[in-house]
Amino acid sequence: VQLQASGGGLVQAGGSLRLSCAASGRTFSNWIMGWFRQAPGKEREFVASATWNRGSTTYADSVKGRFTISRDTAKSMVYLQMNSLKAEDTAVYYCAARRGGAVEYHFWGRGTLVTVSS
């Protein structure tokens, strides 16, 4: 399994950014796709997840109402639309995947840096 995240960059507070994650190496039926982030000096934290089959979503409280995770099964892509960005959203964002029923995420992509200037 390979996950490749892209789309990070510098954006002003209040702005928007869309991250993309290209997933390859297998079919992802019944898998869960997730986005995590790690800010400087902090531990990595969960941001959002979506089931591959139905697209059912889960969000961290800190991003609810501002971020939207989606997936395009035909293109094998996962997206994170980030709106109303805040300085505290600055972090390296990672795409991850796990089998349905598993607790831990097995596969991780390289991160993409998002910097929100205030």
Side-chain angles (χ1 to χ4, degrees), residues 21-75:
C21 175
S24 62
R26 61 161 294 132
T27 57
F28 293 95
S29 179
N30 296 318
W31 281 51
I32 313 299
M33 312 302 287
W35 285 98
F36 290 74
R37 67 186 182 186
Q38 186 166 20
K42 295 187 177 181
E43 293 188 353
R44 187 168 58 193
E45 64 175 0
F46 170 79
V47 174
S49 66
T51 61
W52 189 261
N53 290 4
R54 292 192 172 190
S56 299
T57 58
T58 304
Y59 295 94
D61 288 344
S62 59
V63 306
K64 278 181 183 177
R66 299 189 300 122
F67 290 13
T68 302
I69 185 172
S70 62
R71 84 277 181 266
D72 184 330
T73 57
K75 295 182 179 179

Side-chain angles (χ1 to χ4, degrees), residues 17-19 35 47-48 67-69 78-82 93:
L17 209 56
R18 188 177 82 156
L19 304 183
W35 285 98
V47 174
F67 290 13
T68 302
I69 185 172
V78 183
Y79 304 101
L80 185 68
Q81 177 66 42
M82 306 184 294
Y93 284 72

